[in-house]
Amino acid sequence: MTRKRGLSMTRNWRDLSYLHSGTPKQKAAGRAIEQSAIMQRLQAFDPVLTGTIPLDIDIATSDLDIICESHDLDQFAEAARASYATHEGYKEARLLVQDVPTCLIAFFAYGFWFELFAQPRPIEQQNAYRHMVVEHRLLLLGGADALRGIRQFKQNGLKTEPAFASYFNISGDDPYQALLDVEKWTDEQLRALVGRIRMHKRLR
């Protein structure tokens, strides 16, 4: 089935070759990333594509979310500005995300909005990456039904993490934290969760 192509319980997310054998949107994203040379130009900041497009749960408004590690956000902004400040819609912002200094940069190029997100912490410790990893595991176990369900929630206006929490009935006041809590679950626990969801849907 096309939507499950390439899914495995673990993946090297720094290797973007999966985009070139993926869906039409993933292939287009791969071309845009290559044309922008963003992975090469920001190589010093360990850029990694995250978000919905790698997971094939993107909708029409989905952008290319690229997270980076930078312990000098001024240096990061200067590097991005030097390469992309002339692109349509270029803007920068500084903010605290859960008390972590963060630099956000957005611009439009090669048919996509790019959103760069830099923090002074390793990629694997950033929430966007952690969310993507656990969501990938859930999608692998949930299969095509989960893909369709998550997409439908997103098309109805839910953000990605609330959509996963709703579809998989993951409890908690904060769906973003709830997904991070699920990150620690074993594959067997996740399979049991998916099994309960399937049983519930059959009984409805």
Side-chain angles (χ1 to χ4, degrees):
M1 183 174 294
T2 300
R3 296 200 187 277
K4 292 187 71 174
R5 183 192 308 161
L7 282 176
S8 60
M9 200 60 81
T10 59
R11 170 179 283 173
N12 176 8
W13 294 103
R14 290 175 174 80
D15 179 1
L16 295 179
S17 60
Y18 69 91
L19 293 175
H20 302 293
S21 59
T23 66
K25 185 69 166 285
Q26 289 174 330
K27 290 177 181 177
R31 290 192 296 270
I33 289 169
E34 285 186 348
Q35 289 172 308
S36 70
I38 198 162
M39 297 304 186
Q40 292 78 22
R41 291 176 179 175
L42 298 182
Q43 184 177 10
F45 306 101
D46 193 18
V48 174
L49 178 66
T50 61
T52 60
I53 290 176
L55 297 176
D56 188 23
I57 53 170
D58 53 276
I59 58 176
T61 57
S62 295
D63 52 20
L64 293 174
D65 298 313
I66 298 175
I67 62 173
C68 297
E69 176 185 354
S70 175
H71 297 268
D72 185 338
L73 296 181
D74 289 334
Q75 181 186 37
F76 172 78
E78 289 171 7
R81 195 181 305 129
S83 293
Y84 304 109
T86 59
H87 284 287
E88 178 184 347
Y90 182 91
K91 59 184 178 180
E92 300 178 15
R94 299 290 181 92
L95 64 159
L96 289 176
V97 177
Q98 295 181 333
D99 295 324
V100 179
T102 302
C103 179
L104 287 176
I105 294 177
F107 60 89
F108 186 82
Y110 309 105
F112 285 87
W113 278 100
F114 285 72
E115 185 165 290
L116 314 181
F117 182 98
Q119 291 187 322
R121 55 169 51 174
I123 294 300
E124 286 80 4
Q125 294 178 19
Q126 295 190 30
N127 285 354
Y129 184 92
R130 295 171 63 196
H131 283 141
M132 180 173 66
V133 170
V134 71
E135 288 160 4
H136 176 256
R137 294 172 66 201
L138 287 167
L139 288 173
L140 177 63
L141 296 172
D145 287 344
L147 279 164
R148 285 192 294 268
I150 298 297
R151 275 177 170 269
Q152 188 60 57
F153 276 124
K154 288 180 62 60
Q155 288 165 353
N156 291 342
L158 282 184
K159 296 291 188 180
T160 301
E161 281 66 45
F164 271 87
S166 295
Y167 181 85
F168 288 102
N169 196 25
I170 299 170
S171 60
D173 295 332
D174 180 353
Y176 297 88
Q177 183 58 48
L179 263 292
L180 296 180
D181 293 339
V182 170
E183 176 187 38
K184 299 186 286 286
W185 289 20
T186 65
D187 293 344
E188 289 70 25
Q189 288 175 302
L190 291 182
R191 287 191 183 95
L193 172 66
V194 170
R196 291 194 296 271
I197 296 302
R198 287 173 173 162
M199 179 65 70
H200 175 72
K201 291 183 182 300
R202 282 198 295 268
L203 294 175
R204 284 194 307 181

